[in-house]
Amino acid sequence: MAPKYAPNLRSRLAPLLLFLQTGFIVIYALYVEFDPYAFMFGNTSSKLYSEFQDVNVMVVAGFGFLGTFLVRYGFSGSGFNLLVAVIATQWSIILNGYESWIQSRRILIDLKSLVFAEICTASALISIGTVIGKTNPVQLILIAILEVSGFILNGWLLRTFFEVKPLYCAMQLHTFGAFFGLMLTWVMRRKGSETPFEKEKMDRKTGLFSMFGTLFLWMFWASLNSILVDEGEKKLRIILSTYLALAVSAVAAAAVSVFTSPRGRINLGHIQKCSLSGGVAIGVSMSLVHRPWVAMTIGLAAGVISTLSLRYLKRHMLLAFGCHDTCGVLSVHGLPGLLGWLAHLILQINHMDDRTTAIRFAVFHICTLLITLSLSMSMGVITGLLVKWSFWRPPQDRKCFDDQAFWEFPKLAKKK
Amino acid sequence: MAPKYAPNLRSRLAPLLLFLQTGFIVIYALYVEFDPYAFMFGNTSSKLYSEFQDVNVMVVAGFGFLGTFLVRYGFSGSGFNLLVAVIATQWSIILNGYESWIQSRRILIDLKSLVFAEICTASALISIGTVIGKTNPVQLILIAILEVSGFILNGWLLRTFFEVKPLYCAMQLHTFGAFFGLMLTWVMRRKGSETPFEKEKMDRKTGLFSMFGTLFLWMFWASLNSILVDEGEKKLRIILSTYLALAVSAVAAAAVSVFTSPRGRINLGHIQKCSLSGGVAIGVSMSLVHRPWVAMTIGLAAGVISTLSLRYLKRHMLLAFGCHDTCGVLSVHGLPGLLGWLAHLILQINHMDDRTTAIRFAVFHICTLLITLSLSMSMGVITGLLVKWSFWRPPQDRKCFDDQAFWEFPKLAKKK
Amino acid sequence: MAPKYAPNLRSRLAPLLLFLQTGFIVIYALYVEFDPYAFMFGNTSSKLYSEFQDVNVMVVAGFGFLGTFLVRYGFSGSGFNLLVAVIATQWSIILNGYESWIQSRRILIDLKSLVFAEICTASALISIGTVIGKTNPVQLILIAILEVSGFILNGWLLRTFFEVKPLYCAMQLHTFGAFFGLMLTWVMRRKGSETPFEKEKMDRKTGLFSMFGTLFLWMFWASLNSILVDEGEKKLRIILSTYLALAVSAVAAAAVSVFTSPRGRINLGHIQKCSLSGGVAIGVSMSLVHRPWVAMTIGLAAGVISTLSLRYLKRHMLLAFGCHDTCGVLSVHGLPGLLGWLAHLILQINHMDDRTTAIRFAVFHICTLLITLSLSMSMGVITGLLVKWSFWRPPQDRKCFDDQAFWEFPKLAKKK
């Protein structure tokens, strides 16, 4: 008979956290310094700060509250998100400084380092969306560390061997995170998980908490997409494109959701998730969007694909492959990421007069996608195999999607 | 006997959304372009961005969560708000570009266009506050489109025939929105709605969600009032005046609420709504406020009037005229808007030495108010008559203030 | 027999609010003016605005929602916070202008005045954290006014007699607020309050509202610490240090919380409160933090001390001294504040070569702490004795931690 209580994490979580944190402090003490010249070159850090805060709000509050929709999993949704985010960010700062460490044995950090690190963290938080509720915090932290490492490796490969621009590499966060997470949840599938978990549902109040997360992601997405771009006409274009794409994908999500419902009702989950798909798709293709209607069309396509896939494909993935995707990451980040890639390809080829260059670009562009996909999926499989290990004491099926496995409810226990 | 289920919106909402969205994309494809010179003139767009985000937060999260106080209507309150906001914003961008379209057959957009459009959207969201809970999303979208059109027409009339400054026109959003909404809800009144709707109440948790919306409106109101003003001493004055007026109206709301309660208790609805009235009143008169105490006095008067009217007038409006105002828009935006208009008149006349000029200004100022009122009220009546049409399948009385008419609750249905 | 209903506040709260507000308006009318030259000197106010908004969000929404964790006290937690914040801010503006009033009989205000005032307000809100739930709004307002006066007096003493820098004075807000609050709650202790109050607990939903407050404080803490510092390398250092210290203290809080729990579960209260302790400690010592690992170590120590003290010391304080500290202010602000003071001392001495100077600095530094502690504690005792007076109609024990004593619940009463 299975044990009645959730496994005790005391001997796993506390040592892991202390080990990681001490390790980080040692590495920082040896190699990391504040960049003393960061403010010399035209005060960019000062302008950056308010945009950094937008991205910070997305990572900490946006993703944090997006994950609170599960009726008994709100503490974990927001609490573990904070924990994972701060660890992944500290780790990303180290990894992103690797090249400078090779050269000078020290890593200089400024606000831009923090922004880059938070973008990597966002990619890990996306992956975690697939397994939330079925894992414990120890597993989440391991996943985040491996995902971030893979994502940074992917960016390095693309930049070094394909001379892809850093902005485009960063925008692969959605595709990388989604397919990493997908393989992860596939490897970690549980027997009998084709039937829905008892506690995997939303109620009137948790739906609103989750809406709060959605709205903060939705509102500040323009900052996420434009933060790596310097002031100028391009930045303005990206801000406006992102707003328009998000607006259209919100409309598309509502339209498709009500259209595919026999009783003509909207699914709040669709609105919350698919309203963001326009931001994902435009993020991958935005450099080449020069007219508002192009952004809107990309947003429309993303919204439609995303909502349809959440309505039909998600269930199919579960039944056919046993691939249970808690937050619908495939629909929200995976497919819109691919769509954005396709839009990028089409827009780029459209700009080119010469057929040979176009074909060369297409081949090159397909290669970057294949590398991202294969690296993310193989890293996802490896990570899945590692964290599946029962040494990490994953929660039993009965304790999935339940805060009570991880959080003290002393007062409740005493009184009721 | 009335049908048991709420009307099916599948054949109304989905086509309307797709029609509007496709129409917008076609119009944008034909006429709208990013302004390539937006960044040439002193980087104003860059400074504007963080203030734009404040206004964006107000429109999307502030108004969205303000409408979640109804105990069974939170999904609709925040979800429909997003839907209406993105449609109204896209439409406003087109209408605001009308004049430039006349000249050059194209509409150039930059961040300022988006800011203007969101201000128009705010005016529509204010109107919608009167009918929330008693309408379906199809009706809300139609109302928003007509309201925005009326508001932009009103601004155009004031600017063209009365040479009113654009800032003052924009600040009519409260007055216009409130009286539009008031006539709308009067025209759309239902039989027997003098008795309160069963589900029209707040509970401990929805009160907090609504508080969240209030606070985000309260905090960023200074951005809303100052965003159209260029850097300088005037902008600083407006920011400080708005803060002070809001602070005083929060105190006044609490004082009046507790004073008018026989058992000495505060009404959270009063705090949430009337704390904002100072921002409305100062918004209309701020150009002429040169001393802090003037802003505070306006805030005090607004808070007192607003709370008294919410306590006594709201019920009277319902009983005497059948005018059911869900969010108390008359008290929060209507009367403080009129108060701000009066304060503007008094302050302006006070500045003038010459009696003839003063009378001329007074006549002129009364005319602008009359135009705004008559246009908003007549547009409200027309809109009400149009959306009242049963073709749009409005919810039955029993389904008012209930999310279940519009939203899927699959998991709840399955388990409980 | 005690009366069944909570005391009626009508004759206390309404006159107090009107008296204070009218008084403020009169003082502002006589002496306060907008600074007409605020914009002359290099547009600093313009850059300041978005940081001001961050601090404003912390004060209004952050502290407001942090106090909503009590299951039946959410309306009061957020509503009274707003009320207290706006009154304390208006009062702080006056007191901060005292010196300029002495010189020129007028007080010129700009955005910086508002920022300073909000920092003083934050200190009052920290104090109030100790007595929340056991006081009525009349008492809270009196406490806030006296606390703010004491805090400003403390800053003036430190600046005048010890030539302490204004930044360091402002950062005493945590220490001053915490020890003021601690003495306050000790003086105001009730008989029999060693047994926990029936309604003093968190539930699944109020925990999330409180998490929302925590996250907004956590995210914008870097703005709070850096807002008084001018652009430049130091500001960047402070931003990054604050982020790192907060990140590490979040990890430490989780680690210690799970380690000290026999069943290996995390306490959400620890995460919410102790994640912030890094920001407190670094706030007091940040001027001297020149390397990232120093900030991280301070964050680690703060997180560990804060969580241990919340786990063990809080209960001990209650049993041994009858000192009931609702929000654990001693653990979150008091001890980390002392830790920051210690870190400041060590770092400063470390920089000094000369032993005599070092000793002189240490004596000087100990004096500033002693002054802050003795002033805050004596003011706390005085305030406690004053507000304890039954004239202010404090709630009965049975009505503690209950919104129903202060707020109208008309609809609930009618229907259920």
Side-chain angles (χ1 to χ4, degrees):
Chain A
M1 204 185 117
K4 199 177 159 192
Y5 295 109
N8 191 325
L9 291 181
R10 196 182 192 179
S11 59
R12 297 292 178 278
L13 184 58
L16 177 74
L17 288 175
L18 286 177
F19 168 75
L20 282 176
Q21 194 53 68
T22 322
F24 289 159
I25 293 182
V26 170
I27 297 174
Y28 276 67
L30 293 175
Y31 304 119
V32 181
E33 284 171 38
F34 296 124
D35 186 351
Y37 304 111
F39 261 82
M40 294 274 166
F41 309 108
N43 256 3
T44 32
S45 285
S46 137
K47 283 181 194 161
L48 202 61
Y49 182 65
S50 73
E51 287 170 60
F52 157 70
Q53 279 296 6
D54 292 352
V55 174
N56 199 21
V57 170
M58 290 179 76
V59 166
V60 175
F63 281 108
F65 277 89
L66 197 64
T68 57
F69 67 96
L70 294 160
V71 70
R72 294 173 153 274
Y73 205 66
F75 285 16
S76 308
S78 61
F80 295 162
N81 181 75
L82 177 65
L83 202 58
V84 165
V86 295
I87 290 176
T89 304
Q90 291 181 66
W91 180 234
S92 302
I93 289 176
I94 298 173
L95 290 187
N96 282 325
Y98 178 72
E99 281 169 87
S100 112
W101 181 80
I102 289 289
Q103 288 170 11
S104 61
R105 298 282 136 179
R106 54 183 200 155
I107 301 171
L108 295 179
I109 59 170
D110 58 5
L111 204 51
K112 213 153 193 170
S113 322
L114 201 50
V115 168
F116 259 120
E118 294 231 333
I119 288 175
C120 301
T121 300
S123 144
L125 295 176
I126 290 168
S127 299
I128 280 172
T130 59
V131 293
I132 204 165
K134 301 169 293 177
T135 41
N136 68 29
V138 177
Q139 293 176 306
L140 292 181
I141 290 167
L142 294 173
I143 292 169
I145 286 182
L146 289 166
E147 206 277 348
V148 158
S149 313
F151 178 65
I152 291 173
L153 175 64
N154 185 56
W156 182 81
L157 287 178
L158 293 185
R159 271 182 291 120
T160 312
F161 297 106
F162 290 84
E163 290 173 7
V164 175
K165 286 181 191 151
L167 177 64
Y168 186 79
C169 296
M171 286 303 139
Q172 293 303 315
L173 83 156
H174 306 291
T175 318
F176 192 94
F179 287 95
F180 181 98
L182 220 62
M183 294 314 289
L184 181 72
T185 190
W186 179 71
V187 169
M188 293 176 76
R189 70 191 177 281
R190 291 152 182 263
K191 258 190 196 168
S193 69
E194 292 79 29
T195 58
F197 289 93
E198 190 193 346
K199 293 158 192 163
E200 192 189 358
K201 58 188 176 189
M202 185 192 273
D203 73 10
R204 286 180 186 284
K205 300 290 154 36
T206 57
L208 282 178
F209 280 114
S210 184
M211 193 72 187
F212 165 76
T214 300
L215 292 183
F216 272 80
L217 287 174
W218 195 91
M219 292 183 296
F220 293 140
W221 207 286
S223 302
L224 177 69
N225 280 353
S226 71
I227 193 167
L228 297 177
V229 179
D230 288 333
E231 285 304 327
E233 182 263 341
K234 189 179 176 191
K235 184 162 198 146
L236 179 67
R237 256 201 301 124
I238 288 176
I239 289 170
L240 292 173
S241 300
T242 306
Y243 182 87
L244 288 171
L246 284 167
V248 178
S249 64
V251 176
V256 174
S257 184
V258 75
F259 188 70
T260 55
S261 156
R263 293 174 65 191
R265 299 191 177 170
I266 314 173
N267 189 310
L268 186 65
H270 298 174
I271 300 288
Q272 289 177 344
K273 286 160 192 148
C274 307
S275 294
L276 302 172
S277 60
V280 174
I282 201 79
V284 185
S285 53
M286 60 196 177
S287 310
L288 298 165
V289 172
H290 290 277
R291 301 252 350 240
W293 74 269
V294 178
M296 294 165 84
T297 310
I298 292 173
L300 185 69
V304 169
I305 289 173
S306 167
T307 318
L308 285 176
S309 114
L310 203 58
R311 177 76 83 181
Y312 301 113
L313 190 62
K314 194 185 165 192
R315 183 103 196 101
H316 187 75
M317 293 287 291
L318 179 61
L319 294 180
F321 305 106
C323 187
H324 178 276
D325 180 357
T326 311
C327 292
V329 167
L330 174 66
S331 311
V332 184
H333 296 273
L335 298 183
L338 294 183
L339 177 78
W341 172 86
L342 189 68
H344 191 108
L345 181 65
I346 294 170
L347 289 170
Q348 181 75 62
I349 286 177
N350 224 22
H351 273 279
M352 290 169 168
D353 301 324
D354 182 13
R355 213 175 148 189
T356 329
T357 339
I359 290 173
R360 198 175 298 156
F361 174 78
V363 171
F364 165 88
H365 199 60
I366 290 167
C367 284
T368 64
L369 181 70
L370 287 181
I371 285 182
T372 304
L373 285 184
S374 51
L375 188 64
S376 65
M377 291 171 91
S378 52
M379 288 287 293
V381 170
I382 294 168
T383 307
L385 292 173
L386 181 73
V387 299
K388 216 181 162 178
W389 192 16
S390 66
F391 176 78
W392 306 117
R393 301 191 177 171
Q396 310 99 305
D397 288 359
R398 265 182 329 103
K399 293 287 171 191
C400 281
F401 300 102
D402 196 341
D403 277 340
Q404 229 139 12
F406 307 118
W407 299 90
E408 285 181 350
F409 287 90
K411 303 278 180 181
L412 286 176
K414 204 181 291 172
K415 293 289 169 193
K416 285 194 183 174
Chain B
M1 204 186 119
K4 199 179 160 191
Y5 294 110
N8 191 325
L9 290 181
R10 195 182 192 179
S11 58
R12 297 292 177 278
L13 184 57
L16 177 74
L17 288 175
L18 287 177
F19 167 75
L20 282 176
Q21 194 54 68
T22 322
F24 289 159
I25 293 182
V26 170
I27 297 173
Y28 276 67
L30 293 176
Y31 304 119
V32 182
E33 283 170 39
F34 296 124
D35 186 350
Y37 304 111
F39 263 82
M40 292 273 166
F41 309 108
N43 256 4
T44 32
S45 285
S46 135
K47 284 181 194 162
L48 202 62
Y49 182 67
S50 73
E51 288 170 60
F52 158 71
Q53 279 296 6
D54 292 352
V55 174
N56 199 19
V57 169
M58 290 179 77
V59 167
V60 174
F63 281 108
F65 277 90
L66 197 64
T68 58
F69 68 95
L70 294 159
V71 70
R72 294 173 153 273
Y73 205 66
F75 286 16
S76 308
S78 62
F80 295 161
N81 181 75
L82 177 65
L83 202 59
V84 165
V86 295
I87 289 176
T89 305
Q90 293 181 67
W91 181 233
S92 302
I93 290 176
I94 297 173
L95 290 186
N96 282 325
Y98 178 73
E99 281 169 86
S100 113
W101 180 80
I102 291 288
Q103 287 170 11
S104 60
R105 297 285 134 177
R106 55 184 200 155
I107 301 170
L108 295 179
I109 60 170
D110 59 5
L111 204 51
K112 214 155 193 170
S113 322
L114 202 50
V115 168
F116 260 119
E118 295 230 331
I119 288 175
C120 301
T121 300
S123 142
L125 296 175
I126 289 167
S127 300
I128 280 172
T130 58
V131 293
I132 206 166
K134 301 170 292 177
T135 42
N136 68 30
V138 177
Q139 294 175 305
L140 292 181
I141 291 167
L142 294 173
I143 292 168
I145 286 182
L146 289 166
E147 206 277 350
V148 157
S149 312
F151 178 66
I152 292 173
L153 175 64
N154 185 56
W156 182 81
L157 288 177
L158 293 184
R159 271 182 290 121
T160 312
F161 297 107
F162 291 82
E163 290 173 8
V164 175
K165 284 179 192 151
L167 177 64
Y168 186 79
C169 296
M171 285 303 138
Q172 293 303 315
L173 81 156
H174 305 292
T175 318
F176 193 95
F179 287 94
F180 181 100
L182 219 62
M183 294 314 288
L184 181 73
T185 190
W186 178 70
V187 170
M188 293 176 75
R189 69 190 177 281
R190 292 153 181 262
K191 258 189 195 168
S193 68
E194 291 80 29
T195 58
F197 289 92
E198 191 194 347
K199 294 159 191 163
E200 193 189 357
K201 58 188 175 189
M202 184 191 274
D203 72 11
R204 285 180 187 284
K205 300 292 153 37
T206 56
L208 282 177
F209 280 114
S210 185
M211 193 71 187
F212 166 76
T214 299
L215 292 183
F216 272 80
L217 287 174
W218 196 91
M219 293 183 296
F220 294 140
W221 207 287
S223 303
L224 176 70
N225 280 354
S226 71
I227 193 167
L228 297 177
V229 179
D230 288 333
E231 286 304 328
E233 182 263 341
K234 188 178 176 193
K235 184 165 199 146
L236 179 68
R237 256 201 300 123
I238 288 176
I239 290 171
L240 292 172
S241 301
T242 307
Y243 182 87
L244 288 171
L246 285 167
V248 178
S249 63
V251 176
V256 174
S257 185
V258 76
F259 187 70
T260 55
S261 156
R263 293 175 65 191
R265 299 192 178 169
I266 313 173
N267 189 310
L268 187 66
H270 297 173
I271 300 289
Q272 288 177 345
K273 286 161 192 147
C274 307
S275 295
L276 302 172
S277 61
V280 174
I282 202 79
V284 184
S285 53
M286 61 196 175
S287 311
L288 299 165
V289 172
H290 291 276
R291 301 252 350 238
W293 73 271
V294 178
M296 294 165 85
T297 310
I298 292 172
L300 184 70
V304 170
I305 289 172
S306 168
T307 319
L308 284 177
S309 115
L310 204 58
R311 178 74 84 181
Y312 301 113
L313 189 62
K314 196 185 164 192
R315 185 102 194 104
H316 187 74
M317 293 288 290
L318 178 61
L319 294 179
F321 306 105
C323 188
H324 179 276
D325 180 356
T326 311
C327 293
V329 167
L330 174 66
S331 311
V332 184
H333 297 273
L335 298 182
L338 294 183
L339 177 78
W341 172 86
L342 190 68
H344 191 106
L345 182 63
I346 294 170
L347 289 170
Q348 181 75 62
I349 287 176
N350 224 21
H351 273 278
M352 289 170 168
D353 302 323
D354 182 12
R355 212 175 149 190
T356 329
T357 339
I359 290 174
R360 200 176 296 157
F361 174 77
V363 171
F364 165 87
H365 199 59
I366 290 168
C367 285
T368 64
L369 181 71
L370 287 181
I371 286 184
T372 304
L373 286 184
S374 51
L375 188 64
S376 65
M377 292 172 92
S378 53
M379 288 286 296
V381 171
I382 295 168
T383 307
L385 293 173
L386 181 72
V387 299
K388 216 181 161 178
W389 192 16
S390 66
F391 176 76
W392 305 118
R393 300 190 176 171
Q396 311 100 302
D397 287 0
R398 265 182 327 104
K399 293 287 172 191
C400 281
F401 300 102
D402 196 341
D403 277 341
Q404 228 140 11
F406 307 118
W407 299 91
E408 286 181 350
F409 287 91
K411 302 280 179 178
L412 286 176
K414 205 183 288 171
K415 293 290 166 191
K416 286 198 181 171
Chain C
M1 205 186 117
K4 199 178 159 190
Y5 295 110
N8 191 325
L9 291 181
R10 196 182 191 180
S11 60
R12 297 293 177 277
L13 185 57
L16 177 74
L17 289 174
L18 287 177
F19 168 75
L20 281 176
Q21 194 53 68
T22 322
F24 289 158
I25 293 182
V26 170
I27 296 174
Y28 277 66
L30 293 175
Y31 305 119
V32 182
E33 283 171 38
F34 296 124
D35 185 351
Y37 305 111
F39 262 83
M40 293 274 166
F41 308 108
N43 256 4
T44 32
S45 285
S46 136
K47 282 181 194 160
L48 201 62
Y49 182 65
S50 73
E51 288 171 59
F52 157 70
Q53 280 295 7
D54 292 352
V55 174
N56 199 20
V57 169
M58 290 178 76
V59 167
V60 175
F63 281 108
F65 277 89
L66 197 62
T68 57
F69 67 95
L70 295 160
V71 70
R72 292 172 154 274
Y73 205 67
F75 285 17
S76 307
S78 61
F80 295 161
N81 181 75
L82 178 65
L83 202 58
V84 165
V86 297
I87 290 175
T89 304
Q90 292 181 66
W91 181 234
S92 304
I93 289 177
I94 297 174
L95 290 187
N96 282 325
Y98 179 73
E99 282 169 86
S100 112
W101 181 80
I102 291 288
Q103 288 170 11
S104 61
R105 297 283 136 179
R106 52 182 202 157
I107 300 171
L108 295 179
I109 59 170
D110 59 4
L111 204 51
K112 214 153 193 169
S113 322
L114 202 50
V115 168
F116 260 119
E118 294 231 332
I119 288 175
C120 302
T121 300
S123 143
L125 296 175
I126 290 168
S127 300
I128 280 173
T130 58
V131 292
I132 204 165
K134 301 169 292 177
T135 41
N136 68 29
V138 177
Q139 294 176 306
L140 293 181
I141 290 167
L142 295 173
I143 292 169
I145 286 182
L146 289 166
E147 205 278 348
V148 157
S149 312
F151 178 67
I152 291 173
L153 176 64
N154 185 55
W156 182 81
L157 288 176
L158 293 185
R159 269 180 292 120
T160 312
F161 297 106
F162 291 83
E163 290 174 6
V164 176
K165 286 181 189 151
L167 177 63
Y168 185 79
C169 296
M171 285 303 138
Q172 292 302 317
L173 82 156
H174 306 292
T175 317
F176 192 94
F179 288 93
F180 181 99
L182 219 62
M183 293 315 287
L184 181 73
T185 189
W186 178 70
V187 170
M188 294 176 74
R189 70 192 176 281
R190 290 151 182 264
K191 259 190 194 166
S193 67
E194 292 80 29
T195 58
F197 289 92
E198 190 193 347
K199 293 159 192 162
E200 193 189 359
K201 57 187 176 189
M202 184 192 272
D203 73 9
R204 286 179 186 284
K205 301 291 152 38
T206 57
L208 283 177
F209 280 114
S210 184
M211 193 72 187
F212 165 76
T214 299
L215 292 184
F216 272 80
L217 288 174
W218 195 92
M219 293 184 296
F220 294 140
W221 207 287
S223 302
L224 176 70
N225 281 353
S226 71
I227 194 167
L228 297 177
V229 179
D230 287 333
E231 286 303 328
E233 182 263 341
K234 188 178 176 192
K235 186 165 197 142
L236 179 67
R237 256 201 300 123
I238 289 176
I239 289 171
L240 292 173
S241 301
T242 307
Y243 182 88
L244 288 172
L246 285 166
V248 178
S249 64
V251 175
V256 174
S257 184
V258 76
F259 187 71
T260 55
S261 157
R263 294 174 65 191
R265 299 191 178 170
I266 314 173
N267 189 311
L268 187 65
H270 298 173
I271 300 289
Q272 288 177 345
K273 287 161 190 146
C274 306
S275 295
L276 302 173
S277 60
V280 174
I282 201 79
V284 184
S285 54
M286 61 196 177
S287 310
L288 299 166
V289 172
H290 290 276
R291 300 249 355 236
W293 74 269
V294 179
M296 293 165 84
T297 309
I298 293 172
L300 186 69
V304 170
I305 289 171
S306 166
T307 318
L308 285 176
S309 115
L310 204 58
R311 177 76 83 181
Y312 301 112
L313 189 62
K314 195 185 164 192
R315 184 105 194 100
H316 186 75
M317 293 287 289
L318 179 61
L319 295 180
F321 305 106
C323 187
H324 178 277
D325 180 358
T326 311
C327 293
V329 167
L330 174 67
S331 312
V332 184
H333 297 274
L335 298 183
L338 294 183
L339 177 78
W341 172 86
L342 190 68
H344 191 107
L345 181 65
I346 294 170
L347 289 171
Q348 181 75 62
I349 287 177
N350 224 21
H351 273 278
M352 290 170 168
D353 302 322
D354 182 12
R355 213 175 148 190
T356 330
T357 342
I359 290 173
R360 199 176 300 156
F361 174 78
V363 172
F364 165 88
H365 198 60
I366 289 167
C367 284
T368 65
L369 182 71
L370 287 181
I371 286 184
T372 304
L373 286 184
S374 51
L375 188 63
S376 64
M377 291 171 93
S378 52
M379 288 287 295
V381 171
I382 296 167
T383 307
L385 291 173
L386 181 73
V387 300
K388 218 181 161 179
W389 192 17
S390 67
F391 176 77
W392 306 119
R393 301 192 175 169
Q396 311 100 304
D397 287 359
R398 266 184 328 103
K399 294 288 170 189
C400 281
F401 300 100
D402 196 340
D403 277 340
Q404 229 139 11
F406 307 117
W407 300 91
E408 286 181 347
F409 287 91
K411 303 279 180 179
L412 286 176
K414 203 182 292 170
K415 293 292 166 191
K416 285 193 184 174

